[in-house]
Amino acid sequence: MNATPSLAPRPQVEIALGARSYGIHIGAGLLESPASYAGLPRAAAALIVSNTTVGPLYAQRLAAALAPHYPQLHTLALPDGEAYKNWDTLNLIFSTLLERGCDRQTVLFALGGGVVGDLSGFAAACYMRGVPFVQIPTTLLAQVDSSVGGKTGINHPLGKNMIGAFYQPQRVICDLDSLRTLPARELSAGLAEVIKYGPIADMAFFDWVETHLDALLARAPQALAHAVQRSCEIKAAVVGQDERESGLRAILNFGHTFGHAIEAGLGYGRWLHGEAVGCGMVLAARLSQLQGGVDESFVQRLIALIARAGLPTVAPLLDANDNLGRYLALMRVDKKAEAGAIKFVLLDRPGSAQLCRVPDELLARALALHGARA
């Protein structure tokens, strides 16, 4: 008699997108659990895409777990870092797929942080006009944000994430054990995206993060599990209503307009994405206060939490001669900009956000209050 096929455990969070729906599995020991991969598309081959930092830690263990399901397993270790999120690195994935004779059923497994996930997802969207892929995020930032929702892409020297596609994974597998090997700086960067969810959607969660931040920094398993699950729940609810960011989904970019400008202006990789977002939230909160959405006490409360998380709260100087002009030029190529007009995600009250246009003079005031001096 044939053995009953193993069934994947019910995911903790589900992304409801009709035929493109999928689950987010959150827990310890998921990387090597056979149940994590039950029910995924089967194929003659699979490609594990990782990087030179994560690959040596986890690629062999993942390959062992996948071996019963895929007769041919290929691995690729990309160079590590935001500076490599570009066409050249993307082509390494395409070249590997073509050189190994991979067909359109081949499944890509993205094993790593946000850069690996974004590159792998974009490659999966493009290769033979679309092959399945699975996200296995190994950083806190990727587990709570970038692996969820189907945004994939690469950077351009003039703007972050400006080239890409919406392409949903088959599954997201968040093994909390992988956070044990995460450098402290990367953990702090991930906390920026955790903190973000409170001001835009759930002040009770914001209160919880304030209370449990020390436990999160200490990597307490229960605290991390709750932070990842609640973050994914909030993002899933937003993405389920607005998959392609035609409206509501833009609120997930709180702090990102300034943050992306900082990353591009300094050079990709100088600041981690979460560091730039943390600082960007300070500036966005200040703009929200100048627009009347929140009061000064809330701005200071958010700044204090961001600082406690180990994130920068002072915006870097991008141009000693015309710092405001440099910020404006970079932000005008943000994806939310329309006809050269910059749009920001601002708080209309704590726990609620909306997309707004802001006069340049208010941007100047925010930078004057929270920017580095020449």
Side-chain angles (χ1 to χ4, degrees), residues 131-360:
V131 297
F133 87 110
V134 176
Q135 289 271 22
I136 307 179
T138 60
T139 67
L140 181 60
L141 189 146
Q143 291 187 2
V144 302
D145 184 65
S146 64
S147 69
V148 178
K151 278 188 175 181
T152 71
I154 59 174
N155 299 329
H156 186 279
L158 297 179
K160 183 178 170 70
N161 292 334
M162 295 302 290
I163 303 162
F166 288 98
Y167 193 69
Q168 301 296 342
Q170 299 288 315
R171 184 173 297 168
V172 180
I173 300 168
C174 300
D175 188 338
L176 300 176
D177 286 344
S178 67
L179 302 181
R180 295 176 183 173
T181 57
L182 196 64
R185 185 182 175 192
E186 292 275 3
L187 181 70
S188 289
L191 287 171
E193 296 285 6
V194 173
I195 292 168
K196 168 192 76 177
Y197 289 110
I200 65 169
D202 185 352
M203 283 303 295
F205 183 52
F206 187 78
D207 296 341
W208 182 90
V209 173
E210 281 185 317
T211 301
H212 294 85
L213 185 63
D214 290 342
L216 291 169
L217 288 167
R219 310 179 200 227
Q222 288 186 331
L224 286 172
H226 180 72
V228 173
Q229 180 163 339
R230 185 62 190 136
S231 297
C232 289
E233 287 170 349
I234 294 170
K235 185 161 187 179
V238 172
V239 171
Q241 298 176 67
D242 180 18
E243 181 182 5
R244 294 180 174 267
E245 203 171 298
S246 59
L248 176 65
R249 185 168 178 171
I251 69 169
L252 299 172
N253 291 315
F254 179 59
H256 286 59
T257 303
F258 278 112
H260 289 172
I262 290 169
E263 288 185 86
L266 289 177
Y268 297 119
R270 284 276 303 280
W271 279 25
L272 297 177
H273 174 65
E275 292 170 337
V277 167
C279 188
M281 285 193 288
V282 172
L283 293 159
R286 176 57 66 191
L287 286 179
S288 301
Q289 182 267 323
L290 293 172
Q291 295 272 72
V294 295
D295 60 19
E296 180 65 24
S297 65
F298 180 81
V299 176
Q300 295 304 322
R301 183 183 173 192
L302 180 59
I303 292 173
L305 183 59
I306 290 168
R308 281 180 60 205
L311 298 163
T313 59
V314 176
L317 187 70
L318 299 184
D319 189 322
N321 296 317
D322 185 8
N323 194 44
L324 175 62
R326 181 63 175 147
Y327 271 90
L328 290 173
L330 289 165
M331 292 189 292
R332 285 196 174 100
V333 295
D334 183 82
K335 295 187 296 299
K336 296 181 295 300
E338 292 181 0
I342 306 167
K343 290 188 174 183
F344 294 86
V345 178
L346 301 184
L347 306 175
D348 53 329
R349 66 181 186 277
S352 176
Q354 59 183 342
L355 200 58
C356 306
R357 294 187 182 185
V358 177
D360 288 358

